[in-house]
Amino acid sequence: MNQKNNVTRRDFVQKATLATGAASLGLTNLMKAHGHGSTFKRPLSIDSFKTTFEREPLIHSYGFKGGYITRLWQVVAQLQDTLGNKTIGLGVHSPLWSDSRVTSAWGESGSNSAMYNLTCRALQMIEGQSFETPIHMVEDILDEVWAYGTKITNNADLRTTFALNALTSIDNSAWMLYAKQNNITSFIDLIPNKYKAAFSHKNTEIASIPSISYSTSVSDIEALKDEGYFFIKIKIGAPGSQQEMLEKDMRRMEQIHNIFGTSAAKTDSGRKIVYYLDANGRYESKDTLKRLLDHCKKIKVLDHIAIVEEPFPESLDVDVSDLGVRIAADESAHTDTDALKRIEMGYTGIALKPMGKTLSMTIKIAKLAHDRNIPCFCTDLTVNPVLVDWNKCIASRLKPFPGQDLGLLETNGGQNYRNWETMIGYHPRGNASWNQVENGAFTLGEDFFKESGGIFLELEHYNSLFKE
């Protein structure tokens, strides 16, 4: 069964911190000129909040970044304004993904608790405040939330993504509240004018990208092939020393390609098998990655690799333009400023993770990449069915990925959550046709775009968590 824990304003005994946090924001001028070109005149106004979470168990341990997780916290933020508008926002916390050092020091439960503490602190900061848009809200509070995180984790070099991940449920609820306050009923109308060019496409087909982790069994991999998946994400960077990691990754690539790599290396639907390697920063040198790529060439896998994501530690300042494959940034592109640094280092792809870094930050990163003709794709963070459709709204509006005639969306919740079928029932449109995968892809009809994937509908299950 799911476990939950509620936190409301009444639970915070030191109310004086609210005034201190608010004063530091400098928000007296609600319509300050940030240059975002917001379409709507009504600012986001927040009066009060509640928050809660559920721990959703996984079918088996999910391995990446040299570690494993066994459950994921589904965090819910409820925001209300003075007019009685009330919204629910969801987020999935992943401390291992956002800063594995915190998980190493605090363990799985401890690092989740630390991240949730940041969520609660951020809610204190925005209570009774107004912001021009949710984008401005995240801009205004991010530095202070990060600074708070450095104190409670005892990590002065806390990765910015840890703070952003803590803000996802708040940001999600803020966009919903902003929509109600401005009578917005479609995803594309949420996007301020300045950013719309990055979301100007309309993909009616999106590749559904499953994820193969260290612990994914051979039978499960074979099932993915039998189900027609053609764009496959593979977690590389196996646990162990750099040499041990490299040897394990080489063997894993051979094993997977032996399963997927038919004589034509195509699915029954005629699509070429494509691999997307995610190292999560585990390769400590360019030479080690080259050795893996050389091995992939030897076993005739290299031509099937479309993306190598986040191969190196964030601190490694190395030009990647000569590696012969498309190198994409993910967690190192915390913000649009960080994404620009990666582009200047030769990265030619950006993984957008709106439910890992907030929709607000994702919109800014997408614009930066669009302006520089850097392709983007949408990735998952093992989110719940409701958030999959948020991701789908984004993936459907991005320019098709090079070499593909459709959008890309990594989504692996169905592979990993023990209660996935139950969670589908939490989504009012969870069984809609656009959520069915056929030959490795989602087909999006006009009903999907008209309903924006059902993201504006009431979430009865998550609302019920706040009933006393």
Side-chain angles (χ1 to χ4, degrees), residues 28-54:
T28 54
N29 183 0
L30 304 180
M31 300 301 290
K32 55 189 175 180
H34 283 291
H36 289 288
S38 177
T39 306
F40 309 104
K41 293 182 179 179
R42 286 203 65 183
L44 168 67
S45 179
I46 301 165
D47 179 55
S48 60
F49 70 84
K50 293 180 182 179
T51 179
T52 187
F53 63 86
E54 294 182 307

PDB file of all heavy atoms in Angstrom, residues 28-54:
ATOM      1  N   THR A  28       8.282  43.311  -4.371  1.00  0.00           N
ATOM      2  CA  THR A  28       7.271  44.356  -4.230  1.00  0.00           C
ATOM      3  C   THR A  28       6.714  44.808  -5.562  1.00  0.00           C
ATOM      4  O   THR A  28       5.556  45.178  -5.671  1.00  0.00           O
ATOM      5  CB  THR A  28       7.879  45.565  -3.490  1.00  0.00           C
ATOM      6  OG1 THR A  28       9.057  45.962  -4.181  1.00  0.00           O
ATOM      7  CG2 THR A  28       8.239  45.188  -2.056  1.00  0.00           C
ATOM      8  N   ASN A  29       7.542  44.789  -6.579  1.00  0.00           N
ATOM      9  CA  ASN A  29       7.056  45.153  -7.913  1.00  0.00           C
ATOM     10  C   ASN A  29       6.702  43.890  -8.669  1.00  0.00           C
ATOM     11  O   ASN A  29       7.547  43.194  -9.201  1.00  0.00           O
ATOM     12  CB  ASN A  29       8.144  45.932  -8.674  1.00  0.00           C
ATOM     13  CG  ASN A  29       7.654  46.397 -10.039  1.00  0.00           C
ATOM     14  OD1 ASN A  29       6.514  46.130 -10.410  1.00  0.00           O
ATOM     15  ND2 ASN A  29       8.512  47.085 -10.762  1.00  0.00           N
ATOM     16  N   LEU A  30       5.410  43.572  -8.704  1.00  0.00           N
ATOM     17  CA  LEU A  30       4.956  42.298  -9.248  1.00  0.00           C
ATOM     18  C   LEU A  30       5.130  42.197 -10.746  1.00  0.00           C
ATOM     19  O   LEU A  30       5.232  41.108 -11.297  1.00  0.00           O
ATOM     20  CB  LEU A  30       3.477  42.078  -8.894  1.00  0.00           C
ATOM     21  CG  LEU A  30       3.152  42.126  -7.407  1.00  0.00           C
ATOM     22  CD1 LEU A  30       1.668  41.884  -7.206  1.00  0.00           C
ATOM     23  CD2 LEU A  30       3.975  41.091  -6.666  1.00  0.00           C
ATOM     24  N   MET A  31       5.130  43.306 -11.437  1.00  0.00           N
ATOM     25  CA  MET A  31       5.194  43.279 -12.888  1.00  0.00           C
ATOM     26  C   MET A  31       6.534  43.794 -13.388  1.00  0.00           C
ATOM     27  O   MET A  31       6.627  44.463 -14.404  1.00  0.00           O
ATOM     28  CB  MET A  31       4.052  44.108 -13.488  1.00  0.00           C
ATOM     29  CG  MET A  31       2.661  43.625 -13.114  1.00  0.00           C
ATOM     30  SD  MET A  31       2.362  41.925 -13.617  1.00  0.00           S
ATOM     31  CE  MET A  31       2.292  42.146 -15.388  1.00  0.00           C
ATOM     32  N   LYS A  32       7.600  43.485 -12.667  1.00  0.00           N
ATOM     33  CA  LYS A  32       8.908  43.969 -13.070  1.00  0.00           C
ATOM     34  C   LYS A  32       9.266  43.440 -14.451  1.00  0.00           C
ATOM     35  O   LYS A  32       8.850  42.367 -14.852  1.00  0.00           O
ATOM     36  CB  LYS A  32       9.969  43.560 -12.038  1.00  0.00           C
ATOM     37  CG  LYS A  32      10.019  42.067 -11.745  1.00  0.00           C
ATOM     38  CD  LYS A  32      10.926  41.812 -10.567  1.00  0.00           C
ATOM     39  CE  LYS A  32      10.874  40.339 -10.190  1.00  0.00           C
ATOM     40  NZ  LYS A  32      11.731  40.045  -9.056  1.00  0.00           N
ATOM     41  N   ALA A  33      10.074  44.188 -15.143  1.00  0.00           N
ATOM     42  CA  ALA A  33      10.355  43.873 -16.556  1.00  0.00           C
ATOM     43  C   ALA A  33      11.479  42.863 -16.656  1.00  0.00           C
ATOM     44  O   ALA A  33      12.648  43.197 -16.766  1.00  0.00           O
ATOM     45  CB  ALA A  33      10.736  45.155 -17.303  1.00  0.00           C
ATOM     46  N   HIS A  34      11.119  41.569 -16.638  1.00  0.00           N
ATOM     47  CA  HIS A  34      12.102  40.508 -16.811  1.00  0.00           C
ATOM     48  C   HIS A  34      12.354  40.218 -18.286  1.00  0.00           C
ATOM     49  O   HIS A  34      13.230  39.439 -18.623  1.00  0.00           O
ATOM     50  CB  HIS A  34      11.623  39.222 -16.129  1.00  0.00           C
ATOM     51  CG  HIS A  34      11.795  39.244 -14.639  1.00  0.00           C
ATOM     52  ND1 HIS A  34      13.022  39.209 -14.029  1.00  0.00           N
ATOM     53  CD2 HIS A  34      10.884  39.300 -13.641  1.00  0.00           C
ATOM     54  CE1 HIS A  34      12.876  39.226 -12.723  1.00  0.00           C
ATOM     55  NE2 HIS A  34      11.580  39.281 -12.460  1.00  0.00           N
ATOM     56  N   GLY A  35      11.526  40.759 -19.161  1.00  0.00           N
ATOM     57  CA  GLY A  35      11.733  40.521 -20.582  1.00  0.00           C
ATOM     58  C   GLY A  35      11.232  39.190 -21.060  1.00  0.00           C
ATOM     59  O   GLY A  35      11.655  38.692 -22.086  1.00  0.00           O
ATOM     60  N   HIS A  36      10.313  38.552 -20.333  1.00  0.00           N
ATOM     61  CA  HIS A  36       9.833  37.241 -20.738  1.00  0.00           C
ATOM     62  C   HIS A  36       8.684  37.332 -21.728  1.00  0.00           C
ATOM     63  O   HIS A  36       8.252  36.330 -22.265  1.00  0.00           O
ATOM     64  CB  HIS A  36       9.389  36.435 -19.512  1.00  0.00           C
ATOM     65  CG  HIS A  36      10.534  36.003 -18.669  1.00  0.00           C
ATOM     66  ND1 HIS A  36      11.407  35.017 -19.061  1.00  0.00           N
ATOM     67  CD2 HIS A  36      10.978  36.449 -17.478  1.00  0.00           C
ATOM     68  CE1 HIS A  36      12.322  34.854 -18.138  1.00  0.00           C
ATOM     69  NE2 HIS A  36      12.087  35.709 -17.171  1.00  0.00           N
ATOM     70  N   GLY A  37       8.122  38.490 -21.960  1.00  0.00           N
ATOM     71  CA  GLY A  37       7.071  38.623 -22.954  1.00  0.00           C
ATOM     72  C   GLY A  37       5.823  37.858 -22.595  1.00  0.00           C
ATOM     73  O   GLY A  37       5.202  37.213 -23.434  1.00  0.00           O
ATOM     74  N   SER A  38       5.448  37.825 -21.322  1.00  0.00           N
ATOM     75  CA  SER A  38       4.270  37.090 -20.912  1.00  0.00           C
ATOM     76  C   SER A  38       3.034  37.609 -21.629  1.00  0.00           C
ATOM     77  O   SER A  38       2.829  38.804 -21.771  1.00  0.00           O
ATOM     78  CB  SER A  38       4.076  37.233 -19.394  1.00  0.00           C
ATOM     79  OG  SER A  38       2.897  36.590 -18.989  1.00  0.00           O
ATOM     80  N   THR A  39       2.191  36.675 -22.091  1.00  0.00           N
ATOM     81  CA  THR A  39       0.986  37.035 -22.826  1.00  0.00           C
ATOM     82  C   THR A  39      -0.089  37.564 -21.899  1.00  0.00           C
ATOM     83  O   THR A  39      -0.930  38.349 -22.312  1.00  0.00           O
ATOM     84  CB  THR A  39       0.451  35.788 -23.555  1.00  0.00           C
ATOM     85  OG1 THR A  39       1.506  35.246 -24.343  1.00  0.00           O
ATOM     86  CG2 THR A  39      -0.718  36.124 -24.440  1.00  0.00           C
ATOM     87  N   PHE A  40      -0.062  37.152 -20.663  1.00  0.00           N
ATOM     88  CA  PHE A  40      -1.193  37.379 -19.770  1.00  0.00           C
ATOM     89  C   PHE A  40      -0.870  38.440 -18.726  1.00  0.00           C
ATOM     90  O   PHE A  40       0.229  38.496 -18.194  1.00  0.00           O
ATOM     91  CB  PHE A  40      -1.582  36.056 -19.112  1.00  0.00           C
ATOM     92  CG  PHE A  40      -1.755  34.965 -20.126  1.00  0.00           C
ATOM     93  CD1 PHE A  40      -0.776  33.993 -20.270  1.00  0.00           C
ATOM     94  CD2 PHE A  40      -2.838  34.942 -20.968  1.00  0.00           C
ATOM     95  CE1 PHE A  40      -0.901  33.000 -21.217  1.00  0.00           C
ATOM     96  CE2 PHE A  40      -2.976  33.955 -21.919  1.00  0.00           C
ATOM     97  CZ  PHE A  40      -2.004  32.976 -22.044  1.00  0.00           C
ATOM     98  N   LYS A  41      -1.871  39.267 -18.414  1.00  0.00           N
ATOM     99  CA  LYS A  41      -1.653  40.400 -17.528  1.00  0.00           C
ATOM    100  C   LYS A  41      -1.804  40.035 -16.057  1.00  0.00           C
ATOM    101  O   LYS A  41      -1.197  40.675 -15.213  1.00  0.00           O
ATOM    102  CB  LYS A  41      -2.618  41.528 -17.899  1.00  0.00           C
ATOM    103  CG  LYS A  41      -2.338  42.130 -19.278  1.00  0.00           C
ATOM    104  CD  LYS A  41      -3.279  43.279 -19.580  1.00  0.00           C
ATOM    105  CE  LYS A  41      -2.973  43.882 -20.943  1.00  0.00           C
ATOM    106  NZ  LYS A  41      -3.880  44.990 -21.288  1.00  0.00           N
ATOM    107  N   ARG A  42      -2.616  39.015 -15.760  1.00  0.00           N
ATOM    108  CA  ARG A  42      -2.814  38.669 -14.371  1.00  0.00           C
ATOM    109  C   ARG A  42      -1.613  37.918 -13.835  1.00  0.00           C
ATOM    110  O   ARG A  42      -1.223  36.876 -14.367  1.00  0.00           O
ATOM    111  CB  ARG A  42      -4.070  37.799 -14.198  1.00  0.00           C
ATOM    112  CG  ARG A  42      -5.361  38.569 -14.329  1.00  0.00           C
ATOM    113  CD  ARG A  42      -6.487  37.832 -13.626  1.00  0.00           C
ATOM    114  NE  ARG A  42      -6.243  37.778 -12.187  1.00  0.00           N
ATOM    115  CZ  ARG A  42      -7.029  37.146 -11.321  1.00  0.00           C
ATOM    116  NH1 ARG A  42      -8.099  36.505 -11.756  1.00  0.00           N
ATOM    117  NH2 ARG A  42      -6.767  37.140 -10.046  1.00  0.00           N
ATOM    118  N   PRO A  43      -0.995  38.387 -12.780  1.00  0.00           N
ATOM    119  CA  PRO A  43       0.145  37.667 -12.208  1.00  0.00           C
ATOM    120  C   PRO A  43      -0.311  36.425 -11.449  1.00  0.00           C
ATOM    121  O   PRO A  43      -1.475  36.284 -11.082  1.00  0.00           O
ATOM    122  CB  PRO A  43       0.757  38.687 -11.251  1.00  0.00           C
ATOM    123  CG  PRO A  43      -0.402  39.534 -10.824  1.00  0.00           C
ATOM    124  CD  PRO A  43      -1.291  39.631 -12.036  1.00  0.00           C
ATOM    125  N   LEU A  44       0.609  35.526 -11.243  1.00  0.00           N
ATOM    126  CA  LEU A  44       0.371  34.370 -10.402  1.00  0.00           C
ATOM    127  C   LEU A  44       0.309  34.841  -8.956  1.00  0.00           C
ATOM    128  O   LEU A  44       1.260  35.437  -8.445  1.00  0.00           O
ATOM    129  CB  LEU A  44       1.513  33.361 -10.580  1.00  0.00           C
ATOM    130  CG  LEU A  44       1.587  32.208  -9.576  1.00  0.00           C
ATOM    131  CD1 LEU A  44       0.396  31.270  -9.754  1.00  0.00           C
ATOM    132  CD2 LEU A  44       2.905  31.466  -9.724  1.00  0.00           C
ATOM    133  N   SER A  45      -0.796  34.585  -8.290  1.00  0.00           N
ATOM    134  CA  SER A  45      -0.984  35.027  -6.911  1.00  0.00           C
ATOM    135  C   SER A  45      -1.245  33.821  -6.031  1.00  0.00           C
ATOM    136  O   SER A  45      -2.159  33.029  -6.298  1.00  0.00           O
ATOM    137  CB  SER A  45      -2.162  36.005  -6.828  1.00  0.00           C
ATOM    138  OG  SER A  45      -2.369  36.437  -5.494  1.00  0.00           O
ATOM    139  N   ILE A  46      -0.432  33.646  -4.988  1.00  0.00           N
ATOM    140  CA  ILE A  46      -0.509  32.477  -4.109  1.00  0.00           C
ATOM    141  C   ILE A  46      -0.830  32.932  -2.689  1.00  0.00           C
ATOM    142  O   ILE A  46      -0.128  33.769  -2.126  1.00  0.00           O
ATOM    143  CB  ILE A  46       0.821  31.700  -4.128  1.00  0.00           C
ATOM    144  CG1 ILE A  46       1.141  31.238  -5.555  1.00  0.00           C
ATOM    145  CG2 ILE A  46       0.775  30.515  -3.165  1.00  0.00           C
ATOM    146  CD1 ILE A  46       2.576  30.784  -5.736  1.00  0.00           C
ATOM    147  N   ASP A  47      -1.888  32.371  -2.137  1.00  0.00           N
ATOM    148  CA  ASP A  47      -2.279  32.736  -0.778  1.00  0.00           C
ATOM    149  C   ASP A  47      -1.826  31.701   0.243  1.00  0.00           C
ATOM    150  O   ASP A  47      -1.257  32.050   1.271  1.00  0.00           O
ATOM    151  CB  ASP A  47      -3.799  32.908  -0.699  1.00  0.00           C
ATOM    152  CG  ASP A  47      -4.261  33.278   0.707  1.00  0.00           C
ATOM    153  OD1 ASP A  47      -3.754  34.286   1.237  1.00  0.00           O
ATOM    154  OD2 ASP A  47      -5.106  32.550   1.275  1.00  0.00           O
ATOM    155  N   SER A  48      -2.072  30.416  -0.026  1.00  0.00           N
ATOM    156  CA  SER A  48      -1.768  29.384   0.956  1.00  0.00           C
ATOM    157  C   SER A  48      -1.397  28.085   0.264  1.00  0.00           C
ATOM    158  O   SER A  48      -1.538  27.949  -0.949  1.00  0.00           O
ATOM    159  CB  SER A  48      -2.967  29.153   1.879  1.00  0.00           C
ATOM    160  OG  SER A  48      -4.100  28.734   1.133  1.00  0.00           O
ATOM    161  N   PHE A  49      -0.933  27.124   1.047  1.00  0.00           N
ATOM    162  CA  PHE A  49      -0.474  25.858   0.471  1.00  0.00           C
ATOM    163  C   PHE A  49      -0.708  24.692   1.416  1.00  0.00           C
ATOM    164  O   PHE A  49      -0.898  24.850   2.617  1.00  0.00           O
ATOM    165  CB  PHE A  49       1.018  25.930   0.139  1.00  0.00           C
ATOM    166  CG  PHE A  49       1.907  25.960   1.368  1.00  0.00           C
ATOM    167  CD1 PHE A  49       2.278  24.780   2.010  1.00  0.00           C
ATOM    168  CD2 PHE A  49       2.369  27.161   1.878  1.00  0.00           C
ATOM    169  CE1 PHE A  49       3.083  24.814   3.148  1.00  0.00           C
ATOM    170  CE2 PHE A  49       3.176  27.200   3.008  1.00  0.00           C
ATOM    171  CZ  PHE A  49       3.535  26.017   3.649  1.00  0.00           C
ATOM    172  N   LYS A  50      -0.665  23.509   0.854  1.00  0.00           N
ATOM    173  CA  LYS A  50      -0.546  22.243   1.574  1.00  0.00           C
ATOM    174  C   LYS A  50       0.365  21.342   0.741  1.00  0.00           C
ATOM    175  O   LYS A  50       0.516  21.551  -0.461  1.00  0.00           O
ATOM    176  CB  LYS A  50      -1.900  21.561   1.757  1.00  0.00           C
ATOM    177  CG  LYS A  50      -2.871  22.283   2.675  1.00  0.00           C
ATOM    178  CD  LYS A  50      -4.176  21.502   2.785  1.00  0.00           C
ATOM    179  CE  LYS A  50      -5.174  22.234   3.673  1.00  0.00           C
ATOM    180  NZ  LYS A  50      -6.474  21.481   3.772  1.00  0.00           N
ATOM    181  N   THR A  51       0.937  20.362   1.393  1.00  0.00           N
ATOM    182  CA  THR A  51       1.752  19.407   0.645  1.00  0.00           C
ATOM    183  C   THR A  51       1.684  18.032   1.288  1.00  0.00           C
ATOM    184  O   THR A  51       1.433  17.904   2.495  1.00  0.00           O
ATOM    185  CB  THR A  51       3.221  19.865   0.531  1.00  0.00           C
ATOM    186  OG1 THR A  51       3.962  18.880  -0.197  1.00  0.00           O
ATOM    187  CG2 THR A  51       3.865  20.047   1.885  1.00  0.00           C
ATOM    188  N   THR A  52       1.874  17.021   0.496  1.00  0.00           N
ATOM    189  CA  THR A  52       1.878  15.641   0.963  1.00  0.00           C
ATOM    190  C   THR A  52       2.705  14.797   0.002  1.00  0.00           C
ATOM    191  O   THR A  52       3.166  15.305  -1.025  1.00  0.00           O
ATOM    192  CB  THR A  52       0.438  15.087   1.065  1.00  0.00           C
ATOM    193  OG1 THR A  52       0.471  13.800   1.686  1.00  0.00           O
ATOM    194  CG2 THR A  52      -0.224  14.964  -0.299  1.00  0.00           C
ATOM    195  N   PHE A  53       2.913  13.537   0.348  1.00  0.00           N
ATOM    196  CA  PHE A  53       3.620  12.662  -0.581  1.00  0.00           C
ATOM    197  C   PHE A  53       3.180  11.218  -0.369  1.00  0.00           C
ATOM    198  O   PHE A  53       2.651  10.847   0.679  1.00  0.00           O
ATOM    199  CB  PHE A  53       5.143  12.773  -0.423  1.00  0.00           C
ATOM    200  CG  PHE A  53       5.676  12.339   0.923  1.00  0.00           C
ATOM    201  CD1 PHE A  53       5.974  10.996   1.170  1.00  0.00           C
ATOM    202  CD2 PHE A  53       5.896  13.265   1.928  1.00  0.00           C
ATOM    203  CE1 PHE A  53       6.467  10.594   2.397  1.00  0.00           C
ATOM    204  CE2 PHE A  53       6.382  12.873   3.169  1.00  0.00           C
ATOM    205  CZ  PHE A  53       6.673  11.533   3.404  1.00  0.00           C
ATOM    206  N   GLU A  54       3.383  10.415  -1.405  1.00  0.00           N
ATOM    207  CA  GLU A  54       3.216   8.974  -1.338  1.00  0.00           C
ATOM    208  C   GLU A  54       4.515   8.321  -1.780  1.00  0.00           C
ATOM    209  O   GLU A  54       5.181   8.821  -2.678  1.00  0.00           O
ATOM    210  CB  GLU A  54       2.091   8.500  -2.275  1.00  0.00           C
ATOM    211  CG  GLU A  54       0.713   8.972  -1.893  1.00  0.00           C
ATOM    212  CD  GLU A  54      -0.344   8.422  -2.831  1.00  0.00           C
ATOM    213  OE1 GLU A  54      -0.199   8.578  -4.056  1.00  0.00           O
ATOM    214  OE2 GLU A  54      -1.307   7.825  -2.333  1.00  0.00           O
TER     215      GLU A  54
END
